[in-house]
Amino acid sequence: MMRHGRLGILALSALALAGCNGIQSPLDPGGPQAQDLARLFWTFTAVLAAIWLAVMVALGFSLRRRRPADADPLATDPARERRFTAVVAGLSVATGVTVLGLTGLSYATQKRLFTVEPEAVSIRITGHQWWWEVRYEEPDASRTFTTANEIHVPVGQPVKVKLNSADVIHSFWVPSLMGKQDLIPGRENDISFVTERPGIYRGQCAEFCGFQHAHMGILVVAEPQDAFDRWRNAQIKAANPPSDPEREKGQQAFLSKPCIMCHTVRGTPASGKVGPELTHVASRWYLAAGTLPMSRGNLAAWIIDPHGIKPGVNMPLIKLEPDELNAIAAFLEGLK
Ligand code: CUA
């Protein structure tokens, strides 16, 4: 029994620690802002754990102390009373100092989080039920473009993200990189961050925003400056023209269906603004805001059954013949 108990504790601690690293953990920081937050977390944990331990030890001692059986329960000892008063007063002051100290630390960290150097990359993110509209802004309008659900950033460069919402309140949170910031309709918030190493970080909407709140993921791809420049230059371009007859057929089918009422594919007449931009949809890692890995099969599955995969989603079901479905999936898969 004892052995099982120990094994259980071991398994539980392993499980708990497994949450401390990975692509979506505030305890596995990928940049200075997340490091500040992780440091704050560990400081709070250490101080509070030490206080809890001290209280438990003191409690243990006092429970073990016994009064002699014949002692008068109402008798008081003035010297002892004075000692107790001093101890209680001292501990009250210590509590105040600890709380003030932790508040000061928290305030200093927050101040550092919001003083980031002028940004090298400026991104505007608009929250939708349930996906992220992403706009890369530049003073030169011809270099501004829109994408969705995945942002790329150059390693080591400050990135500023401006946030607002098209419908309800969402919250932008990439735990390995920064704290949370809300996306509020009719109001602009912002948050800045720097990444320290190349990698992929996963973010998640952190404010309950309806049925598919859990399927509102975002990916941050941090890459060296030259890779980022290549990505940005590719995203600015219009969509690749279909490279084979099937994709050609798929494009025609796509353009003849209501798909174009909601989606934009730059370089074609499709210019809807309701759903995610699809100009380079196949260059992304995931489909439907982190719900499915990108592949031709999943593109087809998503088009044929959006409500089975993400119940409540706004994407309507479009009637398609099987060969049209395959052709459209092939066309979309060509949009790298
Ligand atoms: Cu958007 Cu939760």
Side-chain angles (χ1 to χ4, degrees):
M1 195 61 214
M2 191 65 194
R3 211 153 133 214
H4 278 130
R6 247 184 245 157
L7 270 179
I9 290 175
L10 214 68
L12 271 180
S13 351
L15 211 66
L17 283 174
C20 296
N21 51 40
I23 60 169
Q24 188 177 320
S25 169
L27 302 182
D28 190 0
Q33 285 72 33
Q35 253 151 30
D36 275 339
L37 287 170
R39 206 173 301 127
L40 192 66
F41 171 83
W42 287 118
T43 310
F44 267 67
T45 307
V47 170
L48 300 182
I51 293 173
W52 182 80
L53 261 180
V55 170
M56 286 302 130
V57 168
L59 181 67
F61 271 119
S62 22
L63 287 177
R64 283 170 66 96
R65 272 165 70 143
R66 292 258 179 278
R67 274 184 168 226
D70 56 350
D72 171 7
L74 296 179
T76 51
D77 170 356
R80 227 172 117 173
E81 293 293 316
R82 268 198 302 280
R83 220 166 53 236
F84 280 177
T85 310
V87 168
V88 170
L91 287 177
S92 304
V93 171
T95 305
V97 168
T98 310
V99 170
L100 278 179
L102 291 178
T103 307
L105 207 63
S106 169
Y107 179 76
T109 303
Q110 184 160 330
K111 203 156 179 231
R112 257 202 320 281
L113 287 183
F114 285 98
T115 40
V116 180
E117 319 92 276
E119 73 271 16
V121 178
S122 174
I123 306 173
R124 179 177 291 278
I125 294 187
T126 307
H128 294 260
Q129 285 174 311
W130 293 277
W131 58 282
W132 311 86
E133 180 185 339
V134 176
R135 192 157 177 79
Y136 278 73
E137 296 185 318
E138 288 240 3
D140 173 2
S142 68
R143 291 185 59 77
T144 294
F145 64 90
T146 304
T147 175
N149 301 329
E150 182 175 308
I151 61 180
H152 287 233
V153 298
V155 170
Q157 299 290 339
V159 178
K160 181 170 187 178
V161 185
K162 299 174 196 162
L163 301 161
N164 52 44
S165 170
D167 37 47
V168 299
I169 300 178
H170 304 270
S171 179
F172 179 67
W173 190 31
V174 187
S176 303
L177 296 178
M178 68 195 86
K180 288 176 197 166
Q181 187 64 277
D182 279 358
L183 297 87
I184 299 171
R187 178 192 157 142
E188 185 173 300
N189 277 345
D190 61 66
I191 193 163
S192 298
F193 67 96
V194 180
T195 49
E196 243 160 24
R197 51 189 153 85
I200 292 181
Y201 305 92
R202 192 183 185 282
Q204 171 65 41
C205 178
E207 177 83 35
F208 181 72
C209 55
F211 201 6
Q212 290 298 327
H213 156 70
H215 280 145
M216 191 167 166
I218 188 167
L219 220 57
V220 178
V221 180
E223 51 201 3
Q225 184 73 48
D226 53 338
F228 170 74
D229 289 338
R230 271 200 305 280
W231 175 84
R232 177 156 64 182
N233 291 334
Q235 295 287 319
I236 290 169
K237 289 194 184 121
N240 296 327
S243 55
D244 59 45
E246 189 178 27
R247 286 182 175 158
E248 177 72 52
K249 193 179 147 207
Q251 183 179 42
Q252 279 163 16
F254 180 87
L255 294 177
S256 69
K257 302 284 174 191
C259 314
I260 58 171
M261 312 283 286
C262 296
H263 295 288
T264 292
V265 177
R266 277 177 271 136
T268 77
S271 54
K273 299 280 178 225
V274 179
E277 160 115 12
L278 299 179
T279 308
H280 299 287
V281 62
S283 72
R284 299 178 207 147
W285 284 82
Y286 288 94
L287 248 179
T291 309
L292 298 169
M294 183 61 66
S295 69
R296 188 194 289 208
N298 280 339
L299 281 163
W302 174 246
I303 296 166
I304 203 69
D305 190 20
H307 301 274
I309 294 167
K310 206 165 162 177
V313 74
N314 285 322
M315 166 122 161
L317 185 58
I318 309 273
K319 263 210 161 343
L320 292 173
E321 299 303 323
D323 61 328
E324 282 177 327
L325 173 67
N326 288 335
I328 290 178
F331 160 62
L332 294 175
E333 190 202 23
L335 298 178
K336 295 269 190 221

